Coordinates of all heavy atoms in Angstrom, one line a residue:
I1 N -16.5 38.2 65.9 CA -16.5 38.5 67.4 C -17.7 39.4 67.6 O -18.5 39.2 68.6 CB -15.2 39.2 67.8 CG1 -14.1 38.2 67.8 CG2 -15.4 39.7 69.2 CD1 -12.7 38.8 68.0
A2 N -18.0 40.4 66.8 CA -19.1 41.3 67.0 C -20.4 40.7 66.8 O -21.4 41.1 67.4 CB -18.9 42.5 66.0
T3 N -20.5 39.6 66.0 CA -21.8 38.9 65.7 C -21.9 37.6 66.5 O -22.6 36.7 66.1 CB -22.0 38.7 64.2 OG1 -20.9 37.9 63.8 CG2 -22.0 40.0 63.5
D4 N -21.2 37.5 67.6 CA -21.2 36.3 68.5 C -20.8 35.0 67.8 O -21.5 34.0 67.9 CB -22.7 36.2 69.0 CG -22.7 35.4 70.3 OD1 -21.6 35.3 71.0 OD2 -23.7 34.8 70.6
G5 N -19.7 35.1 67.0 CA -19.1 33.8 66.5 C -19.6 33.4 65.1 O -19.3 32.2 64.8
I6 N -20.3 34.2 64.4 CA -20.7 33.8 63.0 C -19.5 33.8 62.1 O -18.8 34.8 62.0 CB -21.8 34.7 62.5 CG1 -23.1 34.6 63.4 CG2 -22.2 34.4 61.1 CD1 -24.2 35.6 63.0
R7 N -19.3 32.7 61.4 CA -18.3 32.6 60.3 C -18.9 32.6 59.0 O -19.8 31.8 58.7 CB -17.5 31.4 60.5 CG -16.8 31.3 61.9 CD -15.4 30.8 61.7 NE -14.6 30.8 62.9 CZ -13.7 31.7 63.2 NH1 -13.4 32.6 62.3 NH2 -13.1 31.7 64.3
F8 N -18.5 33.5 58.1 CA -19.1 33.7 56.8 C -18.9 32.4 56.0 O -19.8 32.0 55.3 CB -18.4 34.9 56.0 CG -18.9 36.2 56.6 CD1 -17.9 37.1 57.1 CD2 -20.2 36.6 56.6 CE1 -18.3 38.3 57.6 CE2 -20.6 37.8 57.1 CZ -19.6 38.7 57.6
A9 N -17.7 31.9 56.0 CA -17.4 30.7 55.1 C -18.3 29.5 55.4 O -18.6 28.7 54.5 CB -16.0 30.3 55.2
E10 N -18.8 29.4 56.6 CA -19.7 28.3 57.0 C -21.2 28.6 56.9 O -22.0 27.7 57.2 CB -19.3 27.9 58.5 CG -17.9 27.5 58.7 CD -17.5 27.4 60.1 OE1 -18.4 27.7 61.0 OE2 -16.4 27.0 60.4
M11 N -21.5 29.8 56.5 CA -23.0 30.1 56.3 C -23.6 29.4 55.1 O -23.0 29.4 54.0 CB -23.1 31.6 56.2 CG -22.7 32.4 57.4 SD -22.8 34.2 57.1 CE -24.4 34.5 57.8
S12 N -24.7 28.7 55.4 CA -25.4 28.0 54.3 C -26.8 27.8 54.7 O -27.2 28.0 55.8 CB -24.7 26.6 54.0 OG -24.9 25.8 55.2
V13 N -27.6 27.4 53.7 CA -29.0 27.2 53.9 C -29.3 25.9 53.2 O -28.8 25.6 52.1 CB -29.9 28.3 53.4 CG1 -29.9 28.4 51.9 CG2 -31.3 28.3 53.9
L14 N -30.2 25.1 53.8 CA -30.6 23.8 53.2 C -31.8 24.0 52.3 O -32.8 24.6 52.8 CB -30.9 22.8 54.3 CG -29.7 22.1 55.0 CD1 -30.2 21.2 56.1 CD2 -28.9 21.4 54.0
F15 N -31.7 23.6 51.1 CA -32.8 23.7 50.1 C -33.0 22.5 49.3 O -32.0 22.1 48.6 CB -32.5 24.9 49.2 CG -33.7 25.2 48.2 CD1 -34.8 25.8 48.7 CD2 -33.5 24.9 46.9 CE1 -35.9 26.0 47.8 CE2 -34.6 25.1 46.0 CZ -35.8 25.7 46.5
A16 N -34.0 21.8 49.5 CA -34.3 20.5 48.9 C -33.2 19.5 49.1 O -32.8 18.8 48.2 CB -34.6 20.7 47.4
G17 N -32.7 19.4 50.3 CA -31.7 18.5 50.7 C -30.3 18.8 50.3 O -29.4 18.1 50.5
T18 N -30.1 20.0 49.7 CA -28.8 20.5 49.3 C -28.4 21.7 50.0 O -29.2 22.6 50.2 CB -28.8 20.8 47.8 OG1 -29.3 19.6 47.1 CG2 -27.5 21.2 47.3
A19 N -27.2 21.8 50.5 CA -26.7 22.9 51.2 C -26.2 24.0 50.2 O -25.4 23.7 49.3 CB -25.5 22.6 52.1
I20 N -26.8 25.1 50.3 CA -26.4 26.3 49.4 C -25.5 27.2 50.3 O -26.0 27.8 51.2 CB -27.6 27.1 48.9 CG1 -28.4 26.1 48.0 CG2 -27.1 28.3 48.1 CD1 -29.7 26.8 47.5
V21 N -24.2 27.2 50.0 CA -23.2 27.9 50.8 C -23.2 29.3 50.2 O -22.6 29.6 49.2 CB -21.9 27.2 50.7 CG1 -20.9 28.0 51.6 CG2 -22.0 25.8 51.1
Y22 N -23.8 30.3 50.9 CA -23.8 31.7 50.5 C -22.7 32.5 51.3 O -22.4 33.6 50.9 CB -25.2 32.3 50.6 CG -25.7 32.4 52.1 CD1 -25.4 33.5 52.8 CD2 -26.4 31.3 52.6 CE1 -25.9 33.5 54.1 CE2 -26.9 31.4 53.9 CZ -26.6 32.5 54.7 OH -27.1 32.6 55.9
G23 N -22.2 31.9 52.3 CA -21.2 32.6 53.1 C -19.9 32.8 52.3 O -19.2 33.8 52.5
E24 N -19.5 31.9 51.4 CA -18.3 32.1 50.6 C -18.5 33.3 49.7 O -17.6 34.0 49.4 CB -18.0 30.8 49.8 CG -17.5 29.7 50.7 CD -17.2 28.4 49.9 OE1 -17.2 28.5 48.7 OE2 -17.0 27.4 50.6
F25 N -19.7 33.5 49.2 CA -20.0 34.6 48.4 C -19.9 35.9 49.2 O -19.3 36.9 48.7 CB -21.5 34.6 47.8 CG -21.9 35.8 47.0 CD1 -21.3 36.0 45.8 CD2 -22.7 36.7 47.6 CE1 -21.7 37.1 45.1 CE2 -23.1 37.8 46.9 CZ -22.6 38.0 45.6
I26 N -20.4 35.9 50.4 CA -20.2 37.1 51.3 C -18.7 37.4 51.5 O -18.3 38.5 51.5 CB -21.0 36.9 52.6 CG1 -22.5 36.9 52.3 CG2 -20.6 38.1 53.6 CD1 -23.3 36.5 53.5
Q27 N -17.9 36.3 51.7 CA -16.5 36.4 51.9 C -15.8 37.0 50.7 O -15.0 37.9 50.8 CB -15.9 35.1 52.3 CG -14.4 35.1 52.5 CD -14.1 35.6 53.9 OE1 -14.9 35.4 54.8 NE2 -13.0 36.2 54.1
A28 N -16.2 36.6 49.5 CA -15.7 37.1 48.2 C -16.0 38.5 48.0 O -15.2 39.3 47.6 CB -16.1 36.2 47.1

């Protein structure tokens, strides 16, 4: 809510056509 709807589990970055999900790490 404070960050305008950002969900950690869904955070990822595309690198060479592959999604690297770093949001789950932040959640852990």
Side-chain angles (χ1 to χ4, degrees):
I1 291 169
T3 57
D4 202 25
I6 295 175
R7 299 221 175 255
F8 288 119
E10 299 169 358
M11 295 175 96
S12 64
V13 71
L14 285 174
F15 183 73
T18 304
I20 299 174
V21 182
Y22 64 91
E24 291 179 12
F25 175 74
I26 294 173
Q27 183 77 30

